[in-house]
Amino acid sequence: GMSLNGVPAYGAQEGGGANAAEFDEFTQGVASWGHAAPTGDWHYHSGEFGRVGTVEEHTKETLLGYAMDGFPIYGPLDDDSVLDECNGMTESDGSYGYHVRTLAQVDESLSYCESDSSAVNWNYILGCFKGDLTLSAF
């Protein structure tokens, strides 16, 4: 995804395979405010998207950014059971959008992804893409 301030949001898996969104007292800034990759690009791993406050403080209407397929990414829902495997849902007006998940809504004890699905288990931001990526520039 891409945050509204232009900083990309990566998946939850850190380069060495660790979960970058489940942080401890020493790595809290990495998850909330992001960090630079070895190549120098700054990025986020969790649903805070560099915004003030925790992801739990954002409402379901808080626009955080956009996914590569063009759909918006909003704050978390209280009940994430209505989300599909990509972390999205179709609204009553027919529009589709993703919602980030809180730390409590993701089971970090699972492996990052299962071999029989394209969706990831550590889906703090996205689990997969719902839309067509063929028009996206990589």
Side-chain angles (χ1 to χ4, degrees):
M2 185 66 69
S3 67
L4 293 180
N5 65 5
V7 175
Y10 290 3
Q13 193 171 37
E14 191 57 82
N19 186 333
E22 291 286 340
F23 46 85
D24 58 27
E25 61 193 76
F26 302 105
T27 60
Q28 183 172 5
V30 170
S32 301
W33 299 102
H35 67 109
T39 57
D41 60 312
W42 195 264
H43 60 276
Y44 305 128
H45 287 284
S46 66
E48 279 87 354
F49 275 60
R51 295 173 60 107
V52 175
T54 63
V55 69
E56 290 85 2
E57 295 176 54
H58 303 313
T59 69
K60 64 182 180 179
E61 291 89 15
T62 304
L63 179 62
L64 298 171
Y66 291 90
M68 286 177 43
D69 58 7
F71 289 118
I73 303 171
Y74 295 103
L77 301 173
D78 291 332
D79 177 12
D80 68 330
S81 69
V82 299
L83 298 176
D84 62 24
E85 69 177 348
C86 295
N87 273 21
M89 62 182 284
T90 302
E91 301 292 339
S92 58
D93 65 0
S95 65
Y96 183 85
Y98 299 107
H99 290 270
V100 298
R101 293 181 195 252
T102 66
L103 297 178
Q105 292 173 332
V106 175
D107 184 355
E108 78 281 355
S109 69
L110 298 173
S111 61
Y112 181 70
C113 64
E114 302 298 327
S115 60
D116 62 343
S117 173
S118 62
V120 298
N121 289 322
W122 296 350
N123 53 354
Y124 302 94
I125 300 173
L126 297 179
C128 54
F129 292 103
K130 187 72 168 189
D132 184 1
L133 295 177
T134 59
L135 299 177
S136 295
F138 287 90

